Amino acid sequence: MSVTALFSATACGGGGDEGGSGGDRPSVEDIESQIAKSSGDQVTEDQSECLAKTYYESDLSDEAVRLLVEAEDVAKISPEDLSKADQLASKELYDPLVKCLTPAE
């Protein structure tokens, strides 16, 4: 499932541990826009909204979420770009992200 791989890889990308410099978390709309851009037609509008809310409400730092939104190619975000706290938070995102991508019955 390439979309799941894309977003789980994205969940493993993030900002460094700069002690919170920079501040504001990107909005759900900003995150959703990046998801739509990155995934093309691989996700529905409902799925991208779910994914965006999941990232927004996650324990990822503002810097990690900002990196996701500002990346030209989210597939190039590396786990090494993460603080230890963001690495742990990204592991918690896998199941919720998969749930967003699972078709409703």
Side-chain angles (χ1 to χ4, degrees):
M1 194 188 260
S2 65
V3 175
T4 303
L6 169 69
F7 290 109
S8 63
T10 310
C12 293
D17 190 16
E18 279 93 56
S21 64
D24 297 336
R25 192 171 198 83
S27 69
V28 172
E29 292 80 16
D30 290 339
I31 300 166
E32 189 173 355
S33 176
Q34 174 65 328
I35 290 168
K37 178 180 128 186
S38 299
S39 66
D41 62 357
Q42 293 182 357
V43 297
T44 66
E45 189 174 320
D46 288 343
Q47 289 171 326
S48 65
E49 182 179 341
C50 179
L51 291 164
K53 286 180 181 178
T54 300
Y55 279 115
Y56 184 81
E57 295 170 356
S58 74
D59 289 333
L60 288 172
S61 69
D62 292 351
E63 292 80 15
V65 177
R66 192 178 311 86
L67 180 62
L68 166 68
V69 169
E70 295 175 355
E72 285 191 35
D73 183 354
V74 295
K76 293 184 179 180
I77 297 173
S78 168
E80 289 78 33
D81 296 329
L82 281 174
S83 68
K84 294 292 183 193
D86 284 333
Q87 288 178 24
L88 292 173
S90 71
K91 290 178 184 178
E92 299 296 319
L93 283 173
Y94 182 78
D95 288 337
L97 293 175
V98 169
K99 186 176 178 182
C100 286
L101 296 171
T102 303
E105 301 199 15

